[in-house]
Amino acid sequence: MRRVAVRSVVLAGLLVLTGGLPAGAHAGTRAGAHAGVGPESEADVAYHGRVSLTGARLRLWLVPENEGPSALPNATVRVRLSADLADRQELSEGCARAGQREVVCETGPLPLHGRGRHIGLVLGLRERASEVVVRVDTWWNGGATDRHLENNEHVVLALDTGDPYVF
């Protein structure tokens, strides 16, 4: 199962580095569907969490959920910031830096009407910011259709107060 999880993060990295999708793939899917999600699979991925900003440190905690109607063996959540990340980051297991302002993390298995692994990130910013816009969305879901994107695409404004902003 771990191999499948790592593949999703690696795929996201390849997409960033190559600027495109693998041959035979289209947005939201990947060629070969190695994770076992068929072309007719449908899932409703959602993210709930909180974000806080203190100085040059952004804390993010989120929980991926799946309302179905199909289970997913894995998915990849993308976190984009309006501020540059510091050069060195200690990321949680299953997470990888995908750019100057982006991090991607595997969700782990998303059972039908269930939750994936809790993801906690403490991200260092290149410099102190009075506010940071945080965008959370699904980068990859194994090719399943998701007709309810409003619950997996979030934009949160975090002010440098240390207060948690919930989404």
Side-chain angles (χ1 to χ4, degrees):
M1 184 58 78
R2 188 79 185 141
R3 239 180 278 152
V4 171
V6 172
R7 282 186 199 139
S8 69
V9 173
V10 170
L11 174 68
L14 288 173
L15 289 172
V16 169
L17 292 174
T18 63
L21 295 164
H26 55 86
T29 69
R30 73 176 220 251
H34 299 289
V37 176
E40 298 168 10
S41 294
E42 183 175 339
D44 182 10
V45 178
Y47 303 107
H48 304 286
R50 63 182 177 262
V51 62
S52 64
L53 176 64
T54 306
R57 186 166 312 279
L58 183 90
R59 288 181 165 77
L60 178 115
W61 177 82
L62 67 87
V63 179
E65 297 179 359
N66 178 17
E67 289 303 316
S70 301
L72 292 175
N74 200 7
T76 305
V77 60
R78 174 175 57 176
V79 177
R80 294 178 289 163
L81 309 177
S82 63
D84 290 345
L85 292 165
D87 291 337
R88 301 189 76 177
Q89 300 288 327
E90 289 189 36
L91 298 174
S92 301
E93 182 178 345
C95 295
R97 190 169 179 162
Q100 191 65 20
R101 297 179 172 191
E102 292 184 36
V103 173
V104 293
C105 297
E106 65 179 348
T107 63
L110 292 172
L112 177 60
H113 302 296
R115 295 178 170 182
R117 69 182 187 91
H118 294 207
I119 299 169
L121 296 170
V122 178
L123 301 172
L125 303 179
R126 183 172 302 279
E127 53 190 48
R128 185 181 189 125
S130 61
E131 64 183 37
V132 174
V133 176
V134 180
R135 297 175 188 279
V136 176
D137 62 5
T138 300
W139 181 255
W140 173 82
N141 69 2
T145 301
D146 189 338
R147 297 173 198 240
H148 304 285
L149 297 177
E150 66 278 355
N151 60 4
N152 70 345
E153 295 179 353
H154 301 282
V155 179
V156 182
L157 175 64
L159 302 177
D160 182 13
T161 60
D163 294 327
Y165 296 90
V166 178
F167 60 91

